[in-house]
Amino acid sequence: MDKTKSIGQRKKKSQLVLPPCRVCEGNATGIHYGVLTCQGCKAFFQRYQKRKEPYVCSRNGNCDIVARKRGICSACRVEKCTRLGMSKTGE
Ligand SMILES: [Zn+2]
Ligand SMILES: [Zn+2]
C-alpha cells in the first residue's frame, strides 16, 4: 500500500558554525565535559583525568592558550579548562 515512505523533510544540515573552542580558540567540535571545546582540548582533558601527577607550569601560570601556538603549556591549559567549568566525568 504505502509504496515509498518518504523520508521526512528534515532540515538540511547546513554547516553548523560553532563558536571557537573556549579553551584554545581552535575549531570547536561540540560540548565536551560541559564546555564547548575542540577535539584537541577534549582529548587533552581526557588524558589529564587519567594522570596522577599534576602538570607544572614553568612560567608562573601565565601562558597563552592558543591553538595556533605550538606546545601549549599543559598546566595552564588544564587550569583554563577547569576554570571554564570542565569537570571530570561522573561528577
Ligand atoms: Zn581547544
Ligand atoms: Zn603555563
Side-chain angles (χ1 to χ4, degrees):
M1 299 293 141
D2 59 284
K3 296 169 194 166
T4 43
K5 256 188 186 172
S6 66
I7 301 161
Q9 285 183 340
R10 289 197 185 165
K11 268 187 192 168
K12 245 190 182 176
K13 230 182 190 179
S14 56
Q15 262 200 330
L16 195 67
V17 182
L18 288 167
C21 169
R22 295 200 57 205
V23 178
C24 72
E25 291 167 33
N27 295 321
T29 53
I31 307 285
H32 306 295
Y33 300 102
V35 177
L36 184 80
T37 70
C38 66
Q39 206 59 33
C41 290
K42 176 198 163 192
F44 170 77
F45 197 74
Q46 204 165 37
R47 249 179 292 135
Y48 161 67
Q49 289 184 53
K50 290 178 190 150
R51 223 183 126 91
K52 283 180 186 149
E53 304 123 55
Y55 291 116
V56 180
C57 176
S58 52
R59 275 167 275 179
N60 293 320
N62 289 318
C63 308
D64 276 340
I65 310 298
V66 185
R68 275 160 288 162
K69 266 194 182 173
R70 293 177 77 194
I72 300 179
C73 169
S74 299
C76 293
R77 197 174 186 181
V78 161
E79 217 278 314
K80 196 165 179 184
C81 287
T82 324
R83 194 160 14 101
L84 290 170
M86 281 175 91
S87 58
K88 300 185 179 190
T89 43
E91 274 186 23

